[in-house]
Amino acid sequence: MNILIIGSGGREYAIGLRLKEDKNVTNIYFSPGNGATQKIGKNIITKDFNELAKFAKDSNISLTIVGPENALSAGVVDIFKELGLNIFGPSKAAARLESSKAYMKEFLAKNSIRTARFINTNSQDEADKFIETLGQTVVVKADGLCAGKGVIIATNHEEAKEAVRDMLSGDSFGEAGKRVVVEEFLDGFELSFFAICDGDSFVSLPVAQDHKRLLDNDKGPNTGGMGAYAPSPLASKELIARVEEEVVKPTLIGMKNENAPFCGVLFVGLMVVNDTPYVLEFNVRFGDPECEVLMPLIDGNLSQILLDAATGKLNQIKLRDEFAVGVVMSSKNYPYSSTPKAKITVENVPVGSYIDYAGVSSENGEIYADGGRVLVAVGKGKSIKEAQIKAYELIENIKFEGSHYRKDIAYQALK
Ligand code: AMP
Ligand code: GLY
């Protein structure tokens, strides 16, 4: 079958690379793709999603897979379905679980799913009163999509009220901040839980852990994620069973009740406090860099699994008895500003490791770092330690001007 992957990051590269293992996959297209995806498929640029859907129809695409949230919240799935095309991802209505934090929190409350105590408001007065009922540390979130930047962790009430003021005035996040969620601070550890869903049923993937901060020991600013590993030993069998029963199942039932059945990847951002899972957020797509460590762990025919999910016929899946660690290499100025182009050289790719390319372009057959998160070095192994060693062995072989990476990815699993 022919496959179209929407997106341009390491996540989409990883999906493409994994799909190349499937014998039934003939052509892979990326839209827009990056400078390296054109080595595993073909990049397609179109004016909009209507034109892309027409391309899919004309090119006999059997399955489209959507990577990023902005395409989902713009309604790409609805546009493709209108033309009778198979597409893996939630509708615009279901994507609100990610695109509106206020909607997500109200949904959790309505369906009795455990989350931080919160208020969803556009009134400074209401926010201030609620802040007074919380401990010193308070979390303030802009309602809309802010590319992971719309969350402020305030260390005292004055700072929290100020953050609300900045958001409601439109100064800090424009329209996305004109409604805010204020919530209690949860002190625990974070996990990324993924379920592939077909509207009715789901299968869980290995539980991953991301590393959001720029620097070692979780210091520095928040980023899109500097590395991930899976499966995490921090997710016990009991915890996984609880997340399935207490979060994923009621979410699928709840979304059906909202007339927005959830099809695609449900990514539950969890905070585990005293062995109890709280939902911090939902995302409606694979995480990046989590996807890069999940892809090598899924056994069998992935294109068929995703097609079955897209058409409401999901079956059980098999997982590989392995571990994966992914270390992000970013450009010098990430996450603050852009960085000039730099040529990437790769001396050797040791057995058991490989590269997923993200922020790169290509010129005369060479790959250039374009800024942001440039690539993910993935190592696989029979243990997390082995996978981690492989990932860092690979990193030693990759050079580009101004490269930065964390040296402690998977540390929580190895403590
Ligand atoms: P979100 O976009 O909602 O996942 O928030 C981004 C990051 O902020 C999360 O990955 C957490 O590290 C942190 N965070 C968000 N909400 C809370 C909370 N209620 N308590 C503690 N940390 C939080
Ligand atoms: N790595 C977290 C995310 O993709 O949102």
Side-chain angles (χ1 to χ4, degrees):
M1 60 168 119
N2 293 332
I3 301 217
L4 169 64
I5 301 172
I6 298 178
S8 63
R11 167 180 50 206
E12 290 75 23
Y13 186 97
I15 295 170
L17 201 60
R18 174 60 185 79
L19 287 173
K20 279 191 86 82
E21 290 178 34
D22 293 354
K23 300 226 160 27
N24 60 327
V25 171
T26 34
N27 296 302
I28 302 179
Y29 298 91
F30 294 87
S31 182
N34 63 44
T37 53
Q38 59 196 21
K39 294 201 172 168
I40 50 178
K42 193 166 185 309
N43 289 354
I44 303 295
I45 311 280
T46 55
K47 156 172 120 264
D48 57 26
F49 292 136
N50 288 308
E51 202 178 284
L52 190 60
K54 209 175 154 297
F55 163 83
K57 191 105 196 156
D58 295 343
S59 312
N60 246 324
I61 301 287
S62 306
L63 175 66
T64 297
I65 300 162
V66 191
E69 62 274 21
N70 47 14
L72 294 164
S73 55
V76 68
V77 168
D78 310 70
I79 293 170
F80 274 59
K81 285 206 165 145
E82 190 81 7
L83 287 186
L85 292 158
N86 294 323
I87 181 163
F88 178 70
S91 64
K92 181 175 181 168
R96 287 176 72 204
L97 282 180
E98 175 165 1
S99 62
S100 167
K101 292 210 188 279
Y103 174 79
M104 179 266 292
K105 293 292 284 194
E106 296 298 341
F107 176 87
L108 293 174
K110 199 188 323 175
N111 292 281
S112 308
I113 299 171
R114 197 177 297 101
T115 187
R117 204 155 66 80
F118 73 102
I119 188 174
N120 145 30
T121 181
N122 55 12
S123 143
Q124 180 78 41
D125 210 37
E126 251 180 38
D128 288 355
K129 288 205 178 90
F130 182 70
I131 288 168
E132 295 296 335
T133 71
L134 298 174
Q136 276 307 298
T137 311
V138 174
V139 186
V140 181
K141 302 182 176 185
D143 173 38
L145 288 177
C146 303
K149 297 188 187 79
V151 176
I152 307 284
I153 311 234
T155 51
N156 60 59
H157 287 180
E158 270 325 297
E159 206 182 305
K161 290 174 186 173
E162 192 61 37
V164 171
R165 202 165 297 121
D166 286 347
M167 285 188 194
L168 291 182
S169 68
D171 285 350
S172 34
F173 301 107
E175 283 304 313
K178 293 208 164 156
R179 172 164 284 279
V180 297
V181 168
V182 180
E183 65 183 35
E184 69 177 324
F185 177 77
L186 296 173
D187 195 5
F189 63 86
E190 284 182 62
L191 290 173
S192 301
F193 190 101
F194 296 88
I196 294 179
C197 307
D198 74 355
D200 273 309
S201 55
F202 69 95
V203 290
S204 303
L205 296 181
V207 179
Q209 199 172 34
D210 189 10
H211 299 65
K212 293 224 161 91
R213 304 290 203 99
L214 183 68
L215 307 173
D216 287 3
N217 303 313
D218 297 324
K219 297 282 190 311
N222 258 323
T223 68
M226 293 303 293
Y229 71 92
S232 173
L234 300 177
S236 63
K237 277 209 173 76
E238 294 73 37
L239 184 82
I240 292 171
R242 280 187 76 176
V243 176
E244 289 176 339
E245 286 303 316
E246 298 171 13
V247 180
V248 182
K249 278 187 190 166
T251 298
L252 291 184
I253 294 169
M255 290 307 282
K256 276 211 289 193
N257 292 338
E258 308 253 320
N259 287 321
F262 192 89
C263 178
V265 179
L266 183 68
F267 166 0
V268 188
L270 289 172
M271 183 72 87
V272 182
V273 186
N274 299 327
D275 294 329
T276 304
Y278 286 75
V279 176
L280 278 187
E281 63 166 348
F282 281 131
N283 295 308
V284 297
R285 47 159 178 98
F286 280 114
D288 194 347
E290 289 96 327
C291 186
E292 286 88 320
V293 297
L294 292 175
M295 285 299 124
L297 302 178
I298 301 175
D299 207 12
N301 190 306
L302 180 64
S303 53
Q304 193 61 47
I305 295 169
L306 300 182
L307 181 61
D308 288 346
T311 51
K313 293 183 294 221
L314 188 60
N315 282 306
Q316 283 312 306
I317 65 167
K318 278 214 204 94
L319 299 171
R320 294 176 181 157
D321 188 16
E322 280 189 300
F323 294 84
V325 172
V327 180
V328 171
M329 284 182 102
S330 67
S331 285
K332 187 167 78 194
N333 300 334
Y334 179 71
Y336 301 108
S337 57
S338 57
T339 311
K341 261 184 200 251
K343 191 166 133 184
I344 303 174
T345 57
V346 181
E347 272 162 37
N348 176 34
V349 178
V351 178
S353 71
Y354 59 88
I355 302 173
D356 287 320
Y357 286 99
V360 297
S361 57
S362 97
E363 242 171 70
N364 305 323
E366 309 271 17
I367 304 281
Y368 287 80
D370 262 358
R373 292 186 292 174
V374 173
L375 58 85
V376 185
V378 181
K380 291 189 297 179
K382 286 286 170 204
S383 66
I384 292 175
K385 189 70 210 169
E386 189 187 335
Q388 187 197 46
I389 289 170
K390 290 269 174 218
Y392 283 107
E393 256 174 35
L394 173 56
I395 291 259
E396 290 299 314
N397 282 280
I398 306 170
K399 305 270 182 289
F400 62 91
E401 170 99 29
S403 69
H404 164 78
Y405 63 90
R406 273 180 66 159
K407 298 180 182 59
D408 64 348
I409 300 305
Y411 79 94
Q412 290 193 60
L414 297 168
K415 273 203 282 223

